[in-house]
Amino acid sequence: MTGVPELVSLRISAWSLKARFALKYHCIKYRTTPYLPLFGELKLRIRLWEWRRKLTVPVMFTPNDGVLMQSYDIAQWADRHSARPDAVRLFPEGKEAQVSSWNAKSDVVLFFGRSSLVEFLLSDPAAMRQQMPPGLRWLGPLGTALMVAIARRLRDKYREEANRTSLTKALDVLREAQAALRAPGALGPDGERHLVGGALTYADMAMAVAVQTLKPFSPLSAANARPQLKVFQPYQEEFADLIAWRDALFTKYFPADNERCTKKSH
Ligand SMILES: N[C@@H](CCC(=O)N[C@@H](CS)C(=O)NCC(=O)O)C(=O)O
């Protein structure tokens, strides 16, 4: 394969957003192949000739480094192929364990968010219709039936992950992140607060994506049509500072125009 990497990604998925965050931060050019559960999975399985393992997206086909099957691996790849003049290392040496631990914690929140979203959509046909990708809308009731089949498939496929998490566990992670960001050591020389070593790392990105579950970031949710989960609404006030931190992080490091990438370093 030559040219730019290809990211197979699901528009609404938090894990695709994690990978896109790291790629965008590092100003890496890539092309996106949209993925649709059910049909997309079969297509991807044929393409990868992978019939045993559970297949998830994002998946990235790189020009020289093979296929990356985890958002975490894609982010690490991005860190090694940065095209950003003033980039910091998102996985700084000696801090990998801490970054990886925050990524695992973000998954605890996201697993709960996914299962709540799937249950909510299955219980609310109007919300289900709203989530329908524009490409399926012309199908009418058949499109809705397809969405229900997709939601059921996701519920079964990720049952094990859903059973490992809960609202209490998700809130514990959010409280831990809030406390870590309030600690004196979180404040970096840039005047921003960070989860690891007072500097921007992938831990911040992973947790900022997890905070989407608590409250979607409006500029992003407009594009991704992510609904607010009712179960988290009562907690938004408690986590106001965490939400504000997430908003600032996305505004600065996930801007719509990304003009930093076109600037020269001198
Ligand atoms: N460990 C994986 C998790 C990815 C994941 O759970 N992806 C889900 C997002 S909802 C997915 O692929 N869903 C579509 C499907 O299973 O068909 C990663 O970090 O990349």
Side-chain angles (χ1 to χ4, degrees):
M1 185 190 171
T2 54
V4 297
E6 174 192 354
L7 186 75
V8 181
S9 89
L10 179 61
R11 189 181 57 118
I12 194 179
S13 162
W15 290 272
S16 292
L17 181 58
K18 280 190 191 182
R20 284 164 52 215
F21 206 158
L23 288 164
K24 188 162 189 167
Y25 173 76
H26 280 305
C27 299
I28 291 169
K29 288 198 173 67
Y30 62 94
R31 64 195 170 87
T32 305
T33 300
Y35 169 95
L36 187 69
L38 281 184
F39 306 108
E41 180 170 340
L42 181 64
K43 219 167 114 186
L44 198 55
R45 281 198 184 280
I46 294 170
R47 205 171 156 192
L48 294 166
W49 212 249
E50 170 61 69
W51 303 100
R52 282 166 191 231
R53 274 184 296 171
K54 181 149 138 179
L55 203 58
T56 63
V57 288
V59 166
M60 194 165 85
F61 293 84
T62 70
N64 302 308
D65 302 312
V67 188
L68 307 172
M69 312 279 285
Q70 299 291 329
S71 54
Y72 198 78
D73 298 339
I74 298 170
Q76 285 189 308
W77 184 91
D79 217 27
R80 293 192 297 272
H81 293 82
S82 182
R84 180 181 179 130
D86 59 346
V88 298
R89 294 291 305 271
L90 297 177
F91 298 85
E93 244 181 84
K95 303 264 196 274
E96 293 95 336
Q98 282 180 69
V99 174
S100 156
S101 157
W102 278 112
N103 182 56
K105 284 172 189 162
S106 91
D107 279 351
V108 170
V109 181
L110 293 172
F111 290 154
F112 180 75
R114 172 169 54 203
S115 91
S116 305
L117 179 63
V118 166
E119 294 304 336
F120 164 66
L121 292 177
L122 283 170
S123 70
D124 188 332
M128 181 73 94
R129 272 193 296 279
Q130 261 183 1
Q131 286 304 306
M132 199 176 311
L136 287 186
R137 294 219 174 108
W138 63 275
L139 287 171
L142 196 62
T144 313
L146 196 61
M147 289 291 289
V148 170
I150 289 174
R152 288 200 181 126
R153 163 80 180 133
L154 292 181
R155 181 171 62 184
D156 293 344
K157 184 171 174 181
Y158 297 105
R159 203 179 288 280
E160 191 260 323
E161 286 86 342
N163 288 343
R164 267 194 278 139
T165 186
S166 63
L167 178 61
T168 309
K169 285 183 185 168
L171 290 171
D172 282 351
V173 166
L174 294 169
R175 289 192 181 111
E176 195 180 334
Q178 186 179 45
L181 289 167
R182 283 177 181 174
L187 190 61
D190 55 6
E192 296 166 20
R193 296 195 163 263
H194 300 289
L195 288 165
V196 175
L200 179 74
T201 66
Y202 184 67
D204 295 321
M205 295 181 176
M207 274 313 300
V209 170
V211 175
Q212 291 290 92
T213 310
L214 179 64
K215 186 178 185 202
F217 179 50
S218 19
L220 261 182
S221 65
N224 287 5
R226 223 186 157 75
Q228 167 67 59
L229 292 172
K230 280 206 182 68
V231 66
F232 279 107
Q233 244 156 4
Y235 301 96
Q236 286 178 353
E237 213 177 293
E238 175 187 344
F239 292 111
D241 56 346
L242 189 63
I243 293 168
W245 168 82
R246 181 279 313 270
D247 289 357
L249 201 86
F250 269 115
T251 305
K252 180 158 182 197
Y253 297 109
F254 201 86
D257 57 0
N258 222 7
E259 66 171 27
R260 223 169 255 266
C261 294
T262 49
K263 272 191 198 148
K264 296 268 178 292
S265 55
H266 50 267

